Amino acid sequence: MARLKIVAWPESVLLTPAEPVTKFDDKLKKLVEDMFETMYAAPGVGLAGTQVAIAKRMFVMDCTGGKDPSRRFFMANPEIILKEGKQDGDEGCLSIPGIYSKVQRSMHVIARGQDVNGKEYQIEGTELEARCLQHETDHCDGFLYINRISPLKRELVLRKVRKLQKTGEWPS
Ligand code: NI
């Protein structure tokens, strides 16, 4: 397994809708293992293909930090097919490292997509898992959490980013 480089805002791959995953081959399986390794090492609870500069609709996620293998997911071509309730909470992103903002999300969601063999399945998540499913599916569409907050809050986040860019502390 290998750790991949996580790209940071404003890399264009993060801001562009990704292409569907169509090949479920050994190359994909190896990439998925590398994505898990990269996510755990970061550490993070989710990582999308676009964040490792691969413009494909897919993500890995594990909100248990490796403690519950049954909640370790890879999903290709995700679609949120059910959204219920609301939650407010701090949200971050490995591509906007170290900066958090309150983001309103649905409390309970079901995502539909494909596993690493191309088989269709669904993930049902609440609270953090629901937040993560929405956040990672957004990545596949070229959206970041800063697209889901008010212009004022977005400006606060981007001001922090610009400060870090100026001092050379922002990944490039
Ligand atoms: Ni993210």
Side-chain angles (χ1 to χ4, degrees), residues 87-106:
Q87 59 173 318
D88 271 302
D90 279 337
E91 192 165 315
C93 178
L94 295 174
S95 295
I96 309 176
I99 304 174
Y100 299 85
S101 187
K102 283 235 184 315
V103 185
Q104 189 178 80
R105 298 283 190 183
S106 299

Side-chain angles (χ1 to χ4, degrees), residues 38-59:
T38 305
M39 178 188 77
Y40 289 127
V45 296
L47 182 72
T50 55
Q51 294 185 274
V52 290
I54 292 166
K56 294 283 178 189
R57 305 180 71 81
M58 59 183 183
F59 64 77

Side-chain angles (χ1 to χ4, degrees), residues 6 24 34 44 54 61 71 110-111 113 115-116 124 131 135 137 139 143-144 147 153-154 162 165 170:
I6 298 175
F24 296 86
D34 290 347
I54 292 166
M61 112 175 204
R71 305 310 289 172
I110 297 177
D115 70 12
V116 79
E124 184 164 6
R131 178 176 294 281
H135 179 115
T137 301
H139 271 302
F143 284 113
L144 301 173
N147 300 107
K153 281 198 210 159
R154 182 159 53 243
R162 283 194 288 267
Q165 283 175 323
W170 192 249

